[in-house]
Amino acid sequence: MPSISTSKNMIKVYYSSESNLNKQVISYVNASNKEILTIDIKKSNVTGTQWKEMAENLNCSIGDLIDKAHPKFLSQYNGSADLSENGWIKVLDEHPEVLTNPIVIIGDKFYQIKNPSDIEKHLEPNSKGFNERKYVQKQIDGDSKTIV
């Protein structure tokens, strides 16, 4: 049974607030018309089961979620550390800022976002369902009026 709930009307973002890339991804996601849940992994505990589920849905290992060139990681391990699944989870628990890229869940699809603008191709256009006729401007006697 999945430990991460998903919904077609929700976007979840697992991110570290210390990263500029992550903050930019949040900005893009905030432009969506869907309900948004942001999980700052520096402030919220993500369980080992959740990390495992995210990695599985991204078709990678938990170790692939970690920036092995990050100074925090390098201060504890060498760049070629070969840890067990539990070892990688422990790294994320103790140093969540080493998450390599934010993880975005849209509906039941999982994405690891490497470039902030990459999120756009996964979001539905904001204008979907927008009735532009409702907001057409019409000139009437020199005054601009909105036709509703």
Side-chain angles (χ1 to χ4, degrees):
M1 180 173 176
S3 63
I4 299 174
S5 64
T6 60
S7 166
K8 66 179 182 172
N9 297 319
M10 178 181 279
I11 299 173
K12 286 187 177 181
V13 183
Y14 288 82
Y15 75 106
S16 170
S17 57
E18 290 187 3
S19 164
N20 285 333
L21 165 67
N22 291 288
K23 291 175 188 174
Q24 292 171 15
V25 168
I26 297 295
S27 294
Y28 275 96
V29 170
N30 281 331
S32 170
N33 288 332
K34 294 188 181 231
E35 185 179 343
I36 299 163
L37 177 62
T38 56
I39 298 101
D40 182 351
I41 61 172
K42 291 285 291 172
K43 299 175 183 171
S44 298
N45 184 35
V46 179
T47 68
T49 303
Q50 290 170 319
W51 285 122
K52 184 175 180 173
E53 185 177 340
M54 283 186 266
E56 286 173 356
N57 280 283
L58 291 166
N59 295 315
C60 67
S61 70
I62 297 171
D64 293 334
L65 302 177
I66 294 172
D67 178 2
K68 293 164 190 79
H70 193 284
K72 279 280 189 191
F73 182 80
L74 290 174
S75 71
Q76 301 286 319
Y77 308 93
N78 66 38
S80 61
D82 186 23
L83 304 174
S84 67
E85 188 174 84
N86 287 335
W88 291 119
I89 290 169
K90 184 177 178 183
V91 170
L92 285 165
D93 283 344
E94 293 176 2
H95 304 287
E97 64 274 11
V98 302
L99 178 68
T100 186
N101 295 305
I103 298 169
V104 177
I105 305 169
I106 303 172
D108 62 352
K109 305 283 188 220
F110 289 63
Y111 306 98
Q112 196 171 23
I113 306 300
K114 297 178 177 152
N115 183 329
S117 62
D118 288 348
I119 190 67
E120 288 183 309
K121 63 185 166 192
H122 303 296
L123 297 173
E124 293 177 7
N126 285 345
S127 61
K128 186 176 182 182
F130 178 73
N131 182 357
E132 79 180 42
R133 294 178 78 190
K134 183 176 178 181
Y135 298 98
V136 172
Q137 296 287 317
K138 185 173 184 178
Q139 282 298 104
I140 301 176
D141 297 329
D143 293 329
S144 180
K145 304 270 184 188
T146 300
I147 299 173
V148 180

